[in-house]
Amino acid sequence: LEAIALAGAGLERLATEIRHLARTEVAEVQEPFGRGQKGSSAMPHKRNPIKSEQVAGLARVLRANSQAALENVALWHERDISHSSVERIIIPDSTTLLDHLQRRAIALVEGMVVDADRMRANLNLTYGALFSQRVLLGLVETGLSRDDAYRIVQRLAQQALAERIHMRDLVSTEKAAAGLDLDQIFDYEPFVRYAEEIVGRLEAIV
């Protein structure tokens, strides 16, 4: 039952992430939405993430059942049957519920609507400051001390966010960064270079 509870917690983590990404101010994904399905009863424009909310909520039941299983460990004289009545409920309920949550999670993933343009727009909210680590490492490779490079990058990143100027433009005018390959540094590709390999490993497990 502890393993089942952990499996449920993993599914809850996925569901919680989907709920966050579906928020109006993020809006990077949406749950599958069937024809004729209603959203919020009070706000017709809103699509409630009901499937992921259900997964997140029911995972708590699995954890509660695992707690009941722990309470069954201590028995009088190692032979009383106070555990039996509990196990007759929590074992079939937990296995059935985990199967339900797995099916729910699979349906969520298979039907999920992803807005790649919105993702890119959200990334651009940082005005390139998210590349600060890559700029830092690039400056260190040119011979600057890490502390000096850090102070330069910190200043430029804060300026980019405060003045809404893309950090690449600021770096391009920095004398210490003259030797950097900005096309390589300000490139999203390195962040997703292992994506296909990771998905491939998952498919191999399934």
Side-chain angles (χ1 to χ4, degrees), residues 136 145-156:
L136 170 65
S145 71
R146 186 177 181 86
D147 187 60
D148 288 341
Y150 185 93
R151 292 182 185 279
I152 291 172
V153 175
Q154 183 183 50
R155 170 172 53 82
L156 296 179

Side-chain angles (χ1 to χ4, degrees), residues 48-164:
N48 291 331
I50 57 174
K51 297 177 179 64
S52 51
E53 286 177 349
Q54 185 184 71
V55 171
L58 291 176
R60 300 169 188 168
V61 176
L62 293 179
R63 288 196 291 276
N65 285 352
S66 71
Q67 179 62 36
L70 291 175
E71 296 294 333
N72 276 346
V73 172
L75 302 175
W76 286 15
H77 304 298
E78 295 292 335
R79 62 180 295 163
D80 84 281
I81 60 170
S82 60
H83 65 290
S84 177
S85 56
V86 180
E87 290 173 353
R88 290 179 186 183
I89 296 173
I90 62 176
I91 292 177
D93 278 9
S94 294
T95 52
T96 302
L97 181 54
L98 179 60
D99 179 72
H100 173 69
L101 294 185
Q102 288 174 331
R103 292 175 183 274
R104 272 303 212 189
I106 291 171
L108 267 173
V109 173
E110 291 181 341
M112 187 166 49
V113 179
V114 178
D115 189 337
D117 291 336
R118 178 70 180 200
M119 287 181 173
R120 186 169 292 276
N122 286 341
L123 289 172
N124 289 333
L125 289 174
T126 68
Y127 294 93
L130 64 89
F131 293 98
S132 62
Q133 183 186 50
R134 292 176 59 77
V135 178
L136 170 65
L137 295 176
L139 289 174
V140 171
E141 288 178 1
T142 66
L144 279 179
S145 71
R146 186 177 181 86
D147 187 60
D148 288 341
Y150 185 93
R151 292 182 185 279
I152 291 172
V153 175
Q154 183 183 50
R155 170 172 53 82
L156 296 179
Q158 290 177 350
Q159 183 181 353
L161 291 168
E163 300 179 12
R164 299 185 178 184

Side-chain angles (χ1 to χ4, degrees), residues 179-196:
L180 297 182
D181 184 346
L182 299 186
D183 287 335
Q184 182 182 32
I185 288 175
F186 289 89
D187 181 14
Y188 290 109
E189 185 61 31
F191 295 106
V192 295
R193 64 186 181 277
Y194 298 119
E196 290 187 9

